[in-house]
């Protein structure tokens, strides 16, 4: 009986997260297209943010240092931040083969929780060899992402849920969001990829 709503909301949440990921990949592709010299970054970022429910911020970090960010208002302090010393510095020190890194939950401006996606960007040098250029980043606001996945429908039905992940650094189980008025009794598990 509960497997169907659980599956529906899990699918909606996964779809919402994937939509946010596509914004990171689009930003990386644009950075490659203009060889990292994006003059209209604020305008391009506004369009990407408007098309992605829950997206709170986009940034480019050539060489691992944040140089362009949108919206700039309220995020000025992040300009110049060296990602090799910030959250998940190991992801900035070893960009590897271009894998996407999830960092979070992190505290966004005004104490709002969110998740940061960090994608290494590689550009071909004069010989055609891919060379690490920097990072494309997007931040999804947790509350907006959960709202777009319509988890409030579960609370209206008084159905409990718990969204958690295994923190890759500590290995601990970390609860991201939950509603359990009577505790979770015989919960139905669904995994998010």
């Amino acid at each position: 009986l509960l497997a169907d709503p659980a599956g529906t909301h899990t699918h909606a949440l996964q779809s919402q997260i994937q939509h946010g990921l596509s914004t990171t990949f689009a930003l990386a592709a644009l950075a490659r297209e203009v060889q990292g010299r994006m003059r209209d970054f604020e305008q391009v970022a506004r369009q990407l943010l408007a098309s992605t429910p829950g997206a709170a911020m986009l940034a480019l970090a050539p060489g691992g240092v944040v140089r362009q960010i949108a919206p700039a208002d309220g995020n000025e302090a992040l300009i110049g931040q060296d990602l090799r010393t910030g959250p998940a510095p190991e992801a900035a020190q070893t960009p590897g083969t271009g894998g996407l890194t999830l960092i979070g939950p992190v505290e966004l401006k005004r104490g709002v929780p969110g998740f940061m996606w960090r994608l290494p960007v590689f550009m071909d040098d004069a010989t055609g060899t891919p060379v690490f250029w920097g990072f494309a980043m997007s931040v999804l606001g947790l509350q907006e992402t959960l709202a777009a996945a319509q988890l409030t429908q579960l609370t209206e039905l008084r159905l409990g849920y718990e969204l958690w992940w295994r923190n890759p650094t500590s290995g601990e189980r970390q609860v991201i969001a939950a509603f359990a008025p009577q505790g979770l009794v015989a919960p139905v598990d669904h995994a998010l990829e």
Side-chain angles (χ1 to χ4, degrees):
L1 177 65
L2 296 180
D4 189 45
T8 299
H9 290 285
T10 300
H11 178 73
L13 183 58
Q14 186 160 339
S15 177
Q16 187 62 30
I17 291 169
Q18 288 171 338
H19 193 65
L21 290 178
S22 67
T23 304
T24 312
F25 284 102
L27 184 60
L30 288 169
R32 278 191 297 275
E33 182 67 27
V34 297
Q35 294 294 298
R37 293 181 292 275
M38 197 174 301
R39 291 187 201 101
D40 300 325
F41 178 78
E42 187 79 26
Q43 181 181 353
V44 169
R46 266 197 313 270
Q47 290 176 12
L48 287 171
L49 289 168
S51 68
T52 309
M57 185 184 77
L58 295 174
L60 287 175
V65 178
V66 177
R67 298 288 180 216
Q68 294 177 297
I69 195 163
D73 185 35
N75 293 308
E76 298 88 351
L78 298 175
I79 296 290
Q81 179 180 355
D82 188 337
L83 300 178
R84 295 165 290 197
T85 61
E90 66 283 354
Q93 292 167 352
T94 55
T97 60
L100 187 71
T101 301
L102 169 65
I103 303 160
V106 295
E107 189 174 302
L108 308 178
K109 63 182 180 179
R110 296 181 303 276
V112 176
F115 290 93
M116 179 183 296
W117 299 101
R118 188 181 291 169
L119 181 66
V121 177
F122 293 85
M123 296 189 193
D124 292 345
D125 66 9
T127 66
T129 304
V131 176
F132 174 67
W133 171 81
F135 293 99
M137 300 183 313
S138 67
V139 174
L140 293 178
L142 177 61
Q143 297 307 319
E144 294 87 347
T145 301
L146 295 178
Q150 301 177 355
L151 289 182
T152 55
Q153 289 179 353
L154 294 175
T155 60
E156 290 166 4
L157 295 170
R158 306 288 296 160
L159 295 173
Y161 67 88
E162 189 175 75
L163 178 62
W164 63 274
W165 78 325
R166 183 111 11 232
N167 185 304
T169 306
S170 67
E172 293 179 23
R173 184 177 186 268
Q174 189 174 6
V175 175
I176 298 166
F179 174 75
Q182 267 86 54
L184 297 178
V185 179
V188 175
D189 289 330
H190 280 275
L192 287 166
E193 294 297 326

